[in-house]
Amino acid sequence: MTNESMTASLAVSRPVPVVVSVMGTAATLAAWAVQPYLPGGRDYITALGIVPDWMPCAAGFLGLGAALAISRGVGRRPVVVAGWIASVLLLWAAVGVVFDGFRAFFWATGIPAGDFAQVDWPGFLTRAAAFVASVALARTVLAYQRVTGAGCDGCGRRAGAEAWQAAWPAYAACALACVYPAVKFYWWLGGGFGRSTDFNETGAPVMSALLLAGSVLLSLAVVRPWGRRLPRWMLLLAGWSLACVHILQGLIPVFAGVNRLLGGPELPFGSKDDNFLVITAVYGSWSLFGLSLAAAVLSYGHRTRKECAQCGH
């Protein structure tokens, strides 16, 4: 396949176009460059040793280079490898954006939350741009693999190959969704094992209960018959969004550990801390829930997508 045909195939394929990846990575670099000069900065991510100062810059340049190479139809293997590495690094640079969102919510509503209502607006801008760039670049790399692979340019399937389908990831997600709310209710009822020093809630963890109910219902909706009554786009949007949020949050200890190996500051928790097991269980359950839900949504998407206009599968 020539460069011109690869670019043309990529342009007509369904995933996000290359231009979004270029704009997202460029925005990440711009936000990182101006961040020290913007007012309202409150560093509550880098100071914890989770994200190196240079990560948005390195991820942005690598991602921008990969996106531009894809637009030119450059050699497949090095571009794909660089694109996936850049997507992971951009995801690393985006760690904390979920906390930013919660902080912005409490700041906007005026609900008493102490320091948690203070937002690092310059950092929020950089992390939001990095998250968008990570998702856009990952989809662009997938599209590039599709149009340069042996399968159909439209759907990526090979002749005679069956799309992966499974129900067990959805039920695994249901079970994993219970871990964090169970810990919160245990502490609220007076349990002391692994109790966080920051846990000072006096009322019932209603928000955790609502999140549990929503996560379980969403997980079941993609495999149970009653879920077919709901709009497909809504389940896909909600499923991928929730999966991304939990994977991003669950990887925080992993990214912090890698940063420590690279010479970063000491971790805010260690294997000898009283709450280490609970931290591992909570963050581990978040990442595993996100991965299980992502697999369930992927299977749901395969089962319910329309027939490909190019190959008929």
Side-chain angles (χ1 to χ4, degrees):
M1 183 178 290
T2 64
N3 291 350
E4 290 77 10
S5 61
M6 282 192 292
T7 303
S9 297
L10 188 60
V12 299
S13 60
R14 295 292 297 277
V16 176
V18 177
V19 65
V20 178
S21 299
V22 173
M23 293 175 62
T25 50
T28 302
L29 289 170
W32 174 81
V34 302
Q35 182 174 329
Y37 308 101
L38 297 178
R42 296 179 180 274
D43 184 11
Y44 44 72
I45 298 296
T46 305
L48 295 177
I50 301 173
V51 182
D53 293 328
W54 47 265
M55 183 55 67
C57 178
F61 273 117
L62 183 60
L64 181 60
L68 291 175
I70 288 174
S71 70
R72 301 299 300 170
V74 178
R76 186 175 191 268
R77 180 172 296 179
V79 170
V80 167
V81 172
W84 282 118
I85 292 176
S87 296
V88 174
L89 294 182
L90 285 165
L91 193 67
W92 188 352
V95 163
V97 71
V98 178
F99 290 134
D100 291 323
F102 279 113
R103 286 172 177 265
F105 169 78
F106 289 117
W107 173 84
T109 59
I111 298 176
D115 292 340
F116 206 69
Q118 299 178 357
V119 187
D120 175 20
W121 294 109
F124 191 1
L125 178 63
T126 301
R127 288 184 282 272
F131 181 71
V132 172
S134 176
V135 174
L137 183 60
R139 295 197 64 188
T140 299
V141 174
L142 280 173
Y144 184 65
Q145 287 180 287
R146 172 184 300 172
V147 301
T148 57
C152 170
D153 288 351
C155 65
R157 294 182 185 175
R158 296 188 179 186
E162 294 293 332
W164 180 79
Q165 299 181 20
W168 67 263
Y171 297 112
C174 286
L176 290 164
C178 300
V179 176
Y180 177 64
V183 171
K184 293 290 290 291
F185 274 99
Y186 168 70
W187 287 343
W188 174 62
L189 293 172
F193 178 75
R195 185 185 181 93
S196 172
T197 55
D198 297 329
F199 183 80
N200 53 10
E201 299 179 16
T202 56
V206 177
M207 185 61 70
S208 297
L210 293 176
L211 290 174
L212 168 63
S215 299
V216 170
L217 287 175
L218 179 59
S219 300
L220 292 177
V222 298
V223 290
R224 302 304 300 168
W226 54 265
R228 300 171 188 169
R229 304 174 186 173
L230 301 175
R232 180 177 185 269
W233 67 266
M234 184 180 71
L235 289 180
L236 290 175
L237 177 61
W240 283 119
S241 299
L242 192 62
C244 287
V245 166
H246 279 81
I247 292 173
L248 190 61
Q249 289 295 95
L251 287 176
I252 286 179
V254 176
F255 286 139
V258 175
N259 189 30
R260 174 57 184 161
L261 293 176
L262 295 175
E266 292 286 348
L267 298 177
F269 57 87
S271 58
K272 296 182 180 179
D273 292 345
D274 294 337
N275 59 352
F276 175 74
L277 292 177
V278 174
I279 289 176
T280 302
V282 168
Y283 283 90
S285 68
W286 283 347
S287 58
L288 292 176
F289 168 77
L291 291 171
S292 298
L293 182 60
V297 175
L298 179 64
S299 177
Y300 169 79
H302 285 167
R303 293 195 309 272
T304 59
R305 66 182 175 184
K306 296 180 180 179
E307 181 180 278
C308 178
Q310 296 190 41
C311 68
H313 290 94

